[in-house]
Amino acid sequence: LHDLAQDGRVLLSHHTLRREVHARLPGLTELRDLTWLDYSYPSDLADDGSAVFFAENGEGGGRGYAVYLRRTDGSPAVRLGEGAAQALSPDGRWALASVNYTSDAPQLTLLPTGVGEPRPLPRGGVNTQAATFFPDGRRLLLAGSRAAGATRTWVQDTEGGDPQPLTPEGTRFPLSARPISPDGQAIMVRGPRAEHLLFRLRGGEPIAVPGLQAEDQPIRWSGDGRWLFAYRPGEMPARVDRVDPRSGRRESWLAVRPPDPAGVMAITPVLLSADGRSCVFGYRRVLSDLYTVSGIR
């Protein structure tokens, strides 16, 4: 309700909120629409760009949301279970989801992408906000906190056992990011002052990553470990750069935007394959209709 005229007419608006997904793929001249239901949120892209793992976080996903795996060739999505999407395993056999995501105690669960049974993982009192697989597929990197504690990163074995702290409090990484280097020996996180820090898992002090600014959001490492891909949420189009984490050298890589920009509020997240050639991106769209209503008594 916006206004009421003296003659009794009413000014109303109706808003439709959606989340959509598109892919920019090698060999195609146009974007491919991978949107499934009403609020598709992509969280991970297979290293070879062949499949995207996403959640339906709106009415279509149900009260507990739902997670899906969809080939980027446009074939129908396959529902894997309930929850919010986190990450795909390197071999593609498992998908990690947060079940009861909207509660105070979300449960990380491994869902098989083929034959198998779901495998809930011990929480250890950690409220996980983001999670991804190590390149070996046997460990998980989590960003989350315990009660009364600040966010930090944790490591957890996929075969069981509670999460163990890895970096100091005040460090984190966002949902859909791939912060672990391909050799599994370094992770990139945000520090307490939003700075980008590189932690070597063999020890030593964290290193500030040159070439990245506070407004940048890292996407992933390149498959050869030479580059970090990053973009700036909120830009239209979304411009992806690659950054040399040693020298700070920065190069423009690609730019993506929805084919129809009407009502698009933000492009996020942006996902890339290991070679950076396949790109999947999500965005939120709000469309509004304005009505005048008469005859209300």
Side-chain angles (χ1 to χ4, degrees):
L1 174 65
H2 292 281
D3 203 1
L4 179 64
Q6 290 185 349
D7 61 6
R9 288 179 300 149
V10 174
L11 189 64
L12 299 174
S13 62
H14 178 265
H15 310 282
T16 302
L17 173 64
R18 289 178 52 80
R19 258 198 161 273
E20 302 175 31
V21 181
H22 273 80
R24 171 177 165 170
L25 303 171
L28 297 183
T29 58
E30 296 183 353
L31 297 176
R32 174 166 287 158
D33 189 350
L34 296 177
T35 309
W36 191 239
L37 301 178
D38 61 320
Y39 210 83
S40 303
Y41 191 99
S43 289
D44 203 2
L45 180 66
D47 279 339
D48 62 1
S50 63
V52 60
F53 182 45
F54 68 96
E56 283 294 338
N57 294 350
E59 291 185 20
R63 180 174 297 180
Y65 301 158
V67 294
Y68 293 80
L69 187 66
R70 189 174 193 185
R71 306 287 296 182
T72 53
D73 62 8
S75 54
V78 177
R79 187 182 188 277
L80 301 181
E82 291 187 359
Q86 292 282 356
L88 283 173
S89 64
D91 61 8
R93 295 177 57 195
W94 297 95
L96 185 66
S98 292
V99 181
N100 298 324
Y101 184 73
T102 57
S103 73
D104 294 332
Q107 172 70 61
L108 283 181
T109 301
L110 291 167
L111 301 172
T113 58
V115 177
E117 294 292 329
R119 290 166 44 194
L121 297 172
R123 292 188 62 248
V126 176
N127 186 357
T128 300
Q129 300 157 12
T132 189
F133 284 86
F134 274 82
D136 60 18
R138 299 192 300 269
R139 295 172 294 161
L140 301 173
L141 180 70
L142 317 179
S145 61
R146 285 187 174 137
T151 301
R152 67 195 309 173
T153 68
W154 310 73
V155 61
Q156 184 172 25
D157 197 296
T158 58
E159 295 300 320
D162 290 345
Q164 301 300 316
L166 189 61
T167 58
E169 290 190 347
T171 52
R172 65 199 186 279
F173 63 92
L175 177 69
S176 78
R178 291 277 202 96
I180 309 171
S181 62
D183 62 6
Q185 297 302 312
I187 61 171
M188 189 179 58
V189 297
R190 290 264 193 176
R193 293 176 295 278
E195 70 275 31
H196 299 278
L197 300 174
L198 192 66
F199 279 83
R200 298 289 180 183
L201 300 189
R202 292 179 178 175
E205 292 297 315
I207 303 169
V209 181
L212 287 178
Q213 307 299 320
E215 58 267 30
D216 290 325
Q217 180 153 309
I219 301 170
R220 65 166 299 151
W221 295 73
S222 62
D224 58 11
R226 293 183 54 196
W227 303 94
L228 288 166
F229 292 105
Y231 76 108
R232 294 183 176 178
E235 290 188 348
M236 177 76 80
R239 303 181 186 277
V240 177
D241 292 340
R242 66 178 188 175
V243 179
D244 185 332
R246 293 163 291 275
S247 67
R249 175 185 171 191
R250 186 166 182 146
E251 300 177 354
S252 177
W253 184 251
L254 59 81
V256 290
R257 63 181 296 168
D260 178 7
V264 174
M265 304 292 289
I267 300 176
T268 183
V270 176
L271 311 175
L272 293 175
S273 58
D275 62 7
R277 298 182 63 213
S278 297
C279 177
V280 169
F281 61 99
Y283 53 93
R284 185 176 51 162
R285 186 194 302 275
V286 180
L287 297 177
S288 302
D289 293 300
L290 190 64
Y291 298 93
T292 58
V293 183
S294 57
I296 295 178
R297 297 270 188 249

